[in-house]
Amino acid sequence: MLIVEKIGQSVLQRLETGGRVMLLFLDTLYHVPQRPKLRHVLNQMAHLGVDSLPIILLTILFTGMVMTVQTAHEFIKYGAQSSVGGMTAISMARELAPVLSGVVLAGRVGAAIAAELGSMKVTEQIDALRVMAVNPVQYLVVPRFLACVFMAPILVVFANVIGVSGGYLVAVYYADISPFTYLHSIQVFAVVNDITGGLIKSMFFGGIVAIIGCYKGLDAKEGAEGVGNATTGAVVTSMILIFISNYFLSLLLYR
């Protein structure tokens, strides 16, 4: 009976947390049209997006190279070397670039947002904003939300290019596939919907990272331990939601 009671309490607690996150998301959408300061949004785009670019590119470059290493010889064995470039491009555009970029953003940006807002919470800076009649959602959450939503697809564009380029290097210089065959297969198999679907996914992932990071930061408990727990919780929760939403978005976008 005690176990059932604990399970019930855990389920209710998670439902309550989900409701609070949804309320923060709706409150953020409500304040978006109220002209957030462009300077704050651009600062967040530079801090959260541009600074993440080298990590994302390095991750995607080696992912594209590894994927081509593991598939090129199998494709050649069955006479399908003319499909390697297309397979790499489609995999990158649909799944690898948006999902891995989202995971990197969750690890770097989500943690940074939660730590920053958590520190402001425990030092009562957010209470000071309320005293000065400044809405914390409009001042703190909206710029970070817009920065993540707009920067995530831009990062994915760069990730697609570098991932396909990494596959090109391996296909040409390791698997002896001609450059024309690799590039021509991309032209034959990849379509615009592959790219646009990945960009739409990345916008959702960016929004998830921003909202979860802000919620965990604003909900941080007292002390350094509370900020640390908020940071860890933001990363873990964002990653789980990215993988879950990726499944449903794939069903919706690529039926």
mmCIF file with all atom_site columns, all heavy atoms in Angstrom, residues 118-138:
data_model
loop_
_atom_site.group_PDB
_atom_site.id
_atom_site.type_symbol
_atom_site.label_atom_id
_atom_site.label_alt_id
_atom_site.label_comp_id
_atom_site.label_asym_id
_atom_site.label_entity_id
_atom_site.label_seq_id
_atom_site.pdbx_PDB_ins_code
_atom_site.Cartn_x
_atom_site.Cartn_y
_atom_site.Cartn_z
_atom_site.occupancy
_atom_site.B_iso_or_equiv
_atom_site.pdbx_formal_charge
_atom_site.auth_seq_id
_atom_site.auth_comp_id
_atom_site.auth_asym_id
_atom_site.auth_atom_id
_atom_site.pdbx_PDB_model_num
ATOM 1   N N   . GLY A 1 118 ? 18.544 30.474 -11.787 1.00 0.00 ? 118 GLY A N   1
ATOM 2   C CA  . GLY A 1 118 ? 18.555 29.910 -10.435 1.00 0.00 ? 118 GLY A CA  1
ATOM 3   C C   . GLY A 1 118 ? 19.359 30.771 -9.479  1.00 0.00 ? 118 GLY A C   1
ATOM 4   O O   . GLY A 1 118 ? 18.952 30.994 -8.328  1.00 0.00 ? 118 GLY A O   1
ATOM 5   N N   . SER A 1 119 ? 20.502 31.251 -9.939  1.00 0.00 ? 119 SER A N   1
ATOM 6   C CA  . SER A 1 119 ? 21.318 32.140 -9.099  1.00 0.00 ? 119 SER A CA  1
ATOM 7   C C   . SER A 1 119 ? 20.582 33.437 -8.806  1.00 0.00 ? 119 SER A C   1
ATOM 8   O O   . SER A 1 119 ? 20.637 33.966 -7.681  1.00 0.00 ? 119 SER A O   1
ATOM 9   C CB  . SER A 1 119 ? 22.655 32.446 -9.806  1.00 0.00 ? 119 SER A CB  1
ATOM 10  O OG  . SER A 1 119 ? 23.388 31.257 -10.018 1.00 0.00 ? 119 SER A OG  1
ATOM 11  N N   . MET A 1 120 ? 19.865 33.953 -9.820  1.00 0.00 ? 120 MET A N   1
ATOM 12  C CA  . MET A 1 120 ? 19.082 35.177 -9.602  1.00 0.00 ? 120 MET A CA  1
ATOM 13  C C   . MET A 1 120 ? 17.943 34.914 -8.611  1.00 0.00 ? 120 MET A C   1
ATOM 14  O O   . MET A 1 120 ? 17.599 35.790 -7.814  1.00 0.00 ? 120 MET A O   1
ATOM 15  C CB  . MET A 1 120 ? 18.515 35.683 -10.929 1.00 0.00 ? 120 MET A CB  1
ATOM 16  C CG  . MET A 1 120 ? 19.569 36.153 -11.921 1.00 0.00 ? 120 MET A CG  1
ATOM 17  S SD  . MET A 1 120 ? 18.859 36.697 -13.486 1.00 0.00 ? 120 MET A SD  1
ATOM 18  C CE  . MET A 1 120 ? 18.016 38.188 -12.954 1.00 0.00 ? 120 MET A CE  1
ATOM 19  N N   . LYS A 1 121 ? 17.383 33.702 -8.671  1.00 0.00 ? 121 LYS A N   1
ATOM 20  C CA  . LYS A 1 121 ? 16.269 33.375 -7.764  1.00 0.00 ? 121 LYS A CA  1
ATOM 21  C C   . LYS A 1 121 ? 16.748 33.323 -6.308  1.00 0.00 ? 121 LYS A C   1
ATOM 22  O O   . LYS A 1 121 ? 16.117 33.925 -5.429  1.00 0.00 ? 121 LYS A O   1
ATOM 23  C CB  . LYS A 1 121 ? 15.681 32.022 -8.182  1.00 0.00 ? 121 LYS A CB  1
ATOM 24  C CG  . LYS A 1 121 ? 14.680 31.413 -7.211  1.00 0.00 ? 121 LYS A CG  1
ATOM 25  C CD  . LYS A 1 121 ? 13.349 32.102 -7.273  1.00 0.00 ? 121 LYS A CD  1
ATOM 26  C CE  . LYS A 1 121 ? 12.354 31.487 -6.266  1.00 0.00 ? 121 LYS A CE  1
ATOM 27  N NZ  . LYS A 1 121 ? 12.183 30.032 -6.448  1.00 0.00 ? 121 LYS A NZ  1
ATOM 28  N N   . VAL A 1 122 ? 17.848 32.597 -6.072  1.00 0.00 ? 122 VAL A N   1
ATOM 29  C CA  . VAL A 1 122 ? 18.293 32.412 -4.682  1.00 0.00 ? 122 VAL A CA  1
ATOM 30  C C   . VAL A 1 122 ? 18.887 33.694 -4.106  1.00 0.00 ? 122 VAL A C   1
ATOM 31  O O   . VAL A 1 122 ? 18.956 33.844 -2.880  1.00 0.00 ? 122 VAL A O   1
ATOM 32  C CB  . VAL A 1 122 ? 19.311 31.253 -4.585  1.00 0.00 ? 122 VAL A CB  1
ATOM 33  C CG1 . VAL A 1 122 ? 18.685 29.953 -5.036  1.00 0.00 ? 122 VAL A CG1 1
ATOM 34  C CG2 . VAL A 1 122 ? 20.571 31.540 -5.382  1.00 0.00 ? 122 VAL A CG2 1
ATOM 35  N N   . THR A 1 123 ? 19.354 34.603 -4.953  1.00 0.00 ? 123 THR A N   1
ATOM 36  C CA  . THR A 1 123 ? 19.878 35.880 -4.446  1.00 0.00 ? 123 THR A CA  1
ATOM 37  C C   . THR A 1 123 ? 18.795 36.972 -4.455  1.00 0.00 ? 123 THR A C   1
ATOM 38  O O   . THR A 1 123 ? 19.118 38.157 -4.299  1.00 0.00 ? 123 THR A O   1
ATOM 39  C CB  . THR A 1 123 ? 21.080 36.349 -5.288  1.00 0.00 ? 123 THR A CB  1
ATOM 40  O OG1 . THR A 1 123 ? 20.705 36.394 -6.675  1.00 0.00 ? 123 THR A OG1 1
ATOM 41  C CG2 . THR A 1 123 ? 22.252 35.406 -5.110  1.00 0.00 ? 123 THR A CG2 1
ATOM 42  N N   . GLU A 1 124 ? 17.539 36.552 -4.702  1.00 0.00 ? 124 GLU A N   1
ATOM 43  C CA  . GLU A 1 124 ? 16.376 37.440 -4.620  1.00 0.00 ? 124 GLU A CA  1
ATOM 44  C C   . GLU A 1 124 ? 16.382 38.558 -5.653  1.00 0.00 ? 124 GLU A C   1
ATOM 45  O O   . GLU A 1 124 ? 15.721 39.575 -5.478  1.00 0.00 ? 124 GLU A O   1
ATOM 46  C CB  . GLU A 1 124 ? 16.249 38.024 -3.205  1.00 0.00 ? 124 GLU A CB  1
ATOM 47  C CG  . GLU A 1 124 ? 16.086 36.955 -2.117  1.00 0.00 ? 124 GLU A CG  1
ATOM 48  C CD  . GLU A 1 124 ? 15.918 37.561 -0.731  1.00 0.00 ? 124 GLU A CD  1
ATOM 49  O OE1 . GLU A 1 124 ? 16.170 38.759 -0.598  1.00 0.00 ? 124 GLU A OE1 1
ATOM 50  O OE2 . GLU A 1 124 ? 15.537 36.819 0.177   1.00 0.00 ? 124 GLU A OE2 1
ATOM 51  N N   . GLN A 1 125 ? 17.144 38.402 -6.746  1.00 0.00 ? 125 GLN A N   1
ATOM 52  C CA  . GLN A 1 125 ? 17.128 39.405 -7.814  1.00 0.00 ? 125 GLN A CA  1
ATOM 53  C C   . GLN A 1 125 ? 15.795 39.384 -8.562  1.00 0.00 ? 125 GLN A C   1
ATOM 54  O O   . GLN A 1 125 ? 15.324 40.416 -9.047  1.00 0.00 ? 125 GLN A O   1
ATOM 55  C CB  . GLN A 1 125 ? 18.278 39.143 -8.792  1.00 0.00 ? 125 GLN A CB  1
ATOM 56  C CG  . GLN A 1 125 ? 19.665 39.320 -8.190  1.00 0.00 ? 125 GLN A CG  1
ATOM 57  C CD  . GLN A 1 125 ? 20.761 39.091 -9.203  1.00 0.00 ? 125 GLN A CD  1
ATOM 58  O OE1 . GLN A 1 125 ? 20.772 39.678 -10.267 1.00 0.00 ? 125 GLN A OE1 1
ATOM 59  N NE2 . GLN A 1 125 ? 21.694 38.203 -8.873  1.00 0.00 ? 125 GLN A NE2 1
ATOM 60  N N   . ILE A 1 126 ? 15.201 38.192 -8.681  1.00 0.00 ? 126 ILE A N   1
ATOM 61  C CA  . ILE A 1 126 ? 13.911 38.100 -9.370  1.00 0.00 ? 126 ILE A CA  1
ATOM 62  C C   . ILE A 1 126 ? 12.817 38.759 -8.530  1.00 0.00 ? 126 ILE A C   1
ATOM 63  O O   . ILE A 1 126 ? 11.932 39.438 -9.069  1.00 0.00 ? 126 ILE A O   1
ATOM 64  C CB  . ILE A 1 126 ? 13.591 36.632 -9.678  1.00 0.00 ? 126 ILE A CB  1
ATOM 65  C CG1 . ILE A 1 126 ? 14.589 36.109 -10.724 1.00 0.00 ? 126 ILE A CG1 1
ATOM 66  C CG2 . ILE A 1 126 ? 12.157 36.476 -10.196 1.00 0.00 ? 126 ILE A CG2 1
ATOM 67  C CD1 . ILE A 1 126 ? 14.431 34.674 -11.076 1.00 0.00 ? 126 ILE A CD1 1
ATOM 68  N N   . ASP A 1 127 ? 12.887 38.602 -7.199  1.00 0.00 ? 127 ASP A N   1
ATOM 69  C CA  . ASP A 1 127 ? 11.942 39.311 -6.336  1.00 0.00 ? 127 ASP A CA  1
ATOM 70  C C   . ASP A 1 127 ? 12.108 40.824 -6.471  1.00 0.00 ? 127 ASP A C   1
ATOM 71  O O   . ASP A 1 127 ? 11.118 41.570 -6.451  1.00 0.00 ? 127 ASP A O   1
ATOM 72  C CB  . ASP A 1 127 ? 12.153 38.888 -4.881  1.00 0.00 ? 127 ASP A CB  1
ATOM 73  C CG  . ASP A 1 127 ? 11.774 37.443 -4.644  1.00 0.00 ? 127 ASP A CG  1
ATOM 74  O OD1 . ASP A 1 127 ? 10.925 36.929 -5.402  1.00 0.00 ? 127 ASP A OD1 1
ATOM 75  O OD2 . ASP A 1 127 ? 12.327 36.817 -3.707  1.00 0.00 ? 127 ASP A OD2 1
ATOM 76  N N   . ALA A 1 128 ? 13.359 41.259 -6.640  1.00 0.00 ? 128 ALA A N   1
ATOM 77  C CA  . ALA A 1 128 ? 13.615 42.694 -6.827  1.00 0.00 ? 128 ALA A CA  1
ATOM 78  C C   . ALA A 1 128 ? 12.980 43.199 -8.122  1.00 0.00 ? 128 ALA A C   1
ATOM 79  O O   . ALA A 1 128 ? 12.464 44.320 -8.175  1.00 0.00 ? 128 ALA A O   1
ATOM 80  C CB  . ALA A 1 128 ? 15.117 42.956 -6.843  1.00 0.00 ? 128 ALA A CB  1
ATOM 81  N N   . LEU A 1 129 ? 13.009 42.361 -9.182  1.00 0.00 ? 129 LEU A N   1
ATOM 82  C CA  . LEU A 1 129 ? 12.363 42.757 -10.443 1.00 0.00 ? 129 LEU A CA  1
ATOM 83  C C   . LEU A 1 129 ? 10.873 42.951 -10.232 1.00 0.00 ? 129 LEU A C   1
ATOM 84  O O   . LEU A 1 129 ? 10.284 43.924 -10.739 1.00 0.00 ? 129 LEU A O   1
ATOM 85  C CB  . LEU A 1 129 ? 12.608 41.685 -11.510 1.00 0.00 ? 129 LEU A CB  1
ATOM 86  C CG  . LEU A 1 129 ? 14.029 41.570 -12.068 1.00 0.00 ? 129 LEU A CG  1
ATOM 87  C CD1 . LEU A 1 129 ? 14.117 40.397 -13.044 1.00 0.00 ? 129 LEU A CD1 1
ATOM 88  C CD2 . LEU A 1 129 ? 14.439 42.857 -12.777 1.00 0.00 ? 129 LEU A CD2 1
ATOM 89  N N   . ARG A 1 130 ? 10.257 42.023 -9.491  1.00 0.00 ? 130 ARG A N   1
ATOM 90  C CA  . ARG A 1 130 ? 8.811  42.146 -9.236  1.00 0.00 ? 130 ARG A CA  1
ATOM 91  C C   . ARG A 1 130 ? 8.509  43.419 -8.438  1.00 0.00 ? 130 ARG A C   1
ATOM 92  O O   . ARG A 1 130 ? 7.489  44.082 -8.686  1.00 0.00 ? 130 ARG A O   1
ATOM 93  C CB  . ARG A 1 130 ? 8.319  40.909 -8.491  1.00 0.00 ? 130 ARG A CB  1
ATOM 94  C CG  . ARG A 1 130 ? 8.342  39.633 -9.329  1.00 0.00 ? 130 ARG A CG  1
ATOM 95  C CD  . ARG A 1 130 ? 7.517  38.530 -8.666  1.00 0.00 ? 130 ARG A CD  1
ATOM 96  N NE  . ARG A 1 130 ? 7.458  37.328 -9.479  1.00 0.00 ? 130 ARG A NE  1
ATOM 97  C CZ  . ARG A 1 130 ? 8.257  36.295 -9.340  1.00 0.00 ? 130 ARG A CZ  1
ATOM 98  N NH1 . ARG A 1 130 ? 9.191  36.302 -8.390  1.00 0.00 ? 130 ARG A NH1 1
ATOM 99  N NH2 . ARG A 1 130 ? 8.142  35.237 -10.116 1.00 0.00 ? 130 ARG A NH2 1
ATOM 100 N N   . VAL A 1 131 ? 9.374  43.742 -7.458  1.00 0.00 ? 131 VAL A N   1
ATOM 101 C CA  . VAL A 1 131 ? 9.170  44.957 -6.663  1.00 0.00 ? 131 VAL A CA  1
ATOM 102 C C   . VAL A 1 131 ? 9.210  46.196 -7.554  1.00 0.00 ? 131 VAL A C   1
ATOM 103 O O   . VAL A 1 131 ? 8.460  47.160 -7.351  1.00 0.00 ? 131 VAL A O   1
ATOM 104 C CB  . VAL A 1 131 ? 10.244 45.054 -5.556  1.00 0.00 ? 131 VAL A CB  1
ATOM 105 C CG1 . VAL A 1 131 ? 10.201 46.423 -4.877  1.00 0.00 ? 131 VAL A CG1 1
ATOM 106 C CG2 . VAL A 1 131 ? 10.049 43.949 -4.527  1.00 0.00 ? 131 VAL A CG2 1
ATOM 107 N N   . MET A 1 132 ? 10.066 46.144 -8.596  1.00 0.00 ? 132 MET A N   1
ATOM 108 C CA  . MET A 1 132 ? 10.173 47.295 -9.514  1.00 0.00 ? 132 MET A CA  1
ATOM 109 C C   . MET A 1 132 ? 9.133  47.222 -10.628 1.00 0.00 ? 132 MET A C   1
ATOM 110 O O   . MET A 1 132 ? 9.253  47.918 -11.638 1.00 0.00 ? 132 MET A O   1
ATOM 111 C CB  . MET A 1 132 ? 11.584 47.331 -10.130 1.00 0.00 ? 132 MET A CB  1
ATOM 112 C CG  . MET A 1 132 ? 12.670 47.652 -9.116  1.00 0.00 ? 132 MET A CG  1
ATOM 113 S SD  . MET A 1 132 ? 14.292 47.892 -9.859  1.00 0.00 ? 132 MET A SD  1
ATOM 114 C CE  . MET A 1 132 ? 14.641 46.236 -10.447 1.00 0.00 ? 132 MET A CE  1
ATOM 115 N N   . ALA A 1 133 ? 8.139  46.326 -10.467 1.00 0.00 ? 133 ALA A N   1
ATOM 116 C CA  . ALA A 1 133 ? 7.043  46.183 -11.444 1.00 0.00 ? 133 ALA A CA  1
ATOM 117 C C   . ALA A 1 133 ? 7.534  45.696 -12.797 1.00 0.00 ? 133 ALA A C   1
ATOM 118 O O   . ALA A 1 133 ? 6.978  46.037 -13.838 1.00 0.00 ? 133 ALA A O   1
ATOM 119 C CB  . ALA A 1 133 ? 6.274  47.491 -11.593 1.00 0.00 ? 133 ALA A CB  1
ATOM 120 N N   . VAL A 1 134 ? 8.620  44.919 -12.779 1.00 0.00 ? 134 VAL A N   1
ATOM 121 C CA  . VAL A 1 134 ? 9.140  44.316 -14.010 1.00 0.00 ? 134 VAL A CA  1
ATOM 122 C C   . VAL A 1 134 ? 8.732  42.847 -14.019 1.00 0.00 ? 134 VAL A C   1
ATOM 123 O O   . VAL A 1 134 ? 9.023  42.114 -13.073 1.00 0.00 ? 134 VAL A O   1
ATOM 124 C CB  . VAL A 1 134 ? 10.687 44.423 -14.086 1.00 0.00 ? 134 VAL A CB  1
ATOM 125 C CG1 . VAL A 1 134 ? 11.198 43.691 -15.328 1.00 0.00 ? 134 VAL A CG1 1
ATOM 126 C CG2 . VAL A 1 134 ? 11.109 45.876 -14.098 1.00 0.00 ? 134 VAL A CG2 1
ATOM 127 N N   . ASN A 1 135 ? 8.043  42.447 -15.079 1.00 0.00 ? 135 ASN A N   1
ATOM 128 C CA  . ASN A 1 135 ? 7.592  41.064 -15.185 1.00 0.00 ? 135 ASN A CA  1
ATOM 129 C C   . ASN A 1 135 ? 8.778  40.166 -15.529 1.00 0.00 ? 135 ASN A C   1
ATOM 130 O O   . ASN A 1 135 ? 9.390  40.328 -16.592 1.00 0.00 ? 135 ASN A O   1
ATOM 131 C CB  . ASN A 1 135 ? 6.515  40.956 -16.275 1.00 0.00 ? 135 ASN A CB  1
ATOM 132 C CG  . ASN A 1 135 ? 5.854  39.592 -16.266 1.00 0.00 ? 135 ASN A CG  1
ATOM 133 O OD1 . ASN A 1 135 ? 6.532  38.575 -16.220 1.00 0.00 ? 135 ASN A OD1 1
ATOM 134 N ND2 . ASN A 1 135 ? 4.538  39.568 -16.298 1.00 0.00 ? 135 ASN A ND2 1
ATOM 135 N N   . PRO A 1 136 ? 9.121  39.191 -14.666 1.00 0.00 ? 136 PRO A N   1
ATOM 136 C CA  . PRO A 1 136 ? 10.286 38.322 -14.947 1.00 0.00 ? 136 PRO A CA  1
ATOM 137 C C   . PRO A 1 136 ? 10.129 37.515 -16.231 1.00 0.00 ? 136 PRO A C   1
ATOM 138 O O   . PRO A 1 136 ? 11.126 37.245 -16.904 1.00 0.00 ? 136 PRO A O   1
ATOM 139 C CB  . PRO A 1 136 ? 10.341 37.407 -13.721 1.00 0.00 ? 136 PRO A CB  1
ATOM 140 C CG  . PRO A 1 136 ? 9.605  38.125 -12.652 1.00 0.00 ? 136 PRO A CG  1
ATOM 141 C CD  . PRO A 1 136 ? 8.531  38.887 -13.362 1.00 0.00 ? 136 PRO A CD  1
ATOM 142 N N   . VAL A 1 137 ? 8.897  37.133 -16.561 1.00 0.00 ? 137 VAL A N   1
ATOM 143 C CA  . VAL A 1 137 ? 8.696  36.345 -17.786 1.00 0.00 ? 137 VAL A CA  1
ATOM 144 C C   . VAL A 1 137 ? 9.029  37.185 -19.010 1.00 0.00 ? 137 VAL A C   1
ATOM 145 O O   . VAL A 1 137 ? 9.760  36.751 -19.917 1.00 0.00 ? 137 VAL A O   1
ATOM 146 C CB  . VAL A 1 137 ? 7.250  35.824 -17.854 1.00 0.00 ? 137 VAL A CB  1
ATOM 147 C CG1 . VAL A 1 137 ? 6.994  35.142 -19.198 1.00 0.00 ? 137 VAL A CG1 1
ATOM 148 C CG2 . VAL A 1 137 ? 6.981  34.855 -16.709 1.00 0.00 ? 137 VAL A CG2 1
ATOM 149 N N   . GLN A 1 138 ? 8.521  38.416 -19.039 1.00 0.00 ? 138 GLN A N   1
ATOM 150 C CA  . GLN A 1 138 ? 8.785  39.276 -20.191 1.00 0.00 ? 138 GLN A CA  1
ATOM 151 C C   . GLN A 1 138 ? 10.251 39.697 -20.257 1.00 0.00 ? 138 GLN A C   1
ATOM 152 O O   . GLN A 1 138 ? 10.831 39.779 -21.351 1.00 0.00 ? 138 GLN A O   1
ATOM 153 C CB  . GLN A 1 138 ? 7.898  40.513 -20.136 1.00 0.00 ? 138 GLN A CB  1
ATOM 154 C CG  . GLN A 1 138 ? 8.030  41.405 -21.372 1.00 0.00 ? 138 GLN A CG  1
ATOM 155 C CD  . GLN A 1 138 ? 7.062  42.568 -21.354 1.00 0.00 ? 138 GLN A CD  1
ATOM 156 O OE1 . GLN A 1 138 ? 6.442  42.846 -20.341 1.00 0.00 ? 138 GLN A OE1 1
ATOM 157 N NE2 . GLN A 1 138 ? 6.918  43.238 -22.467 1.00 0.00 ? 138 GLN A NE2 1
#
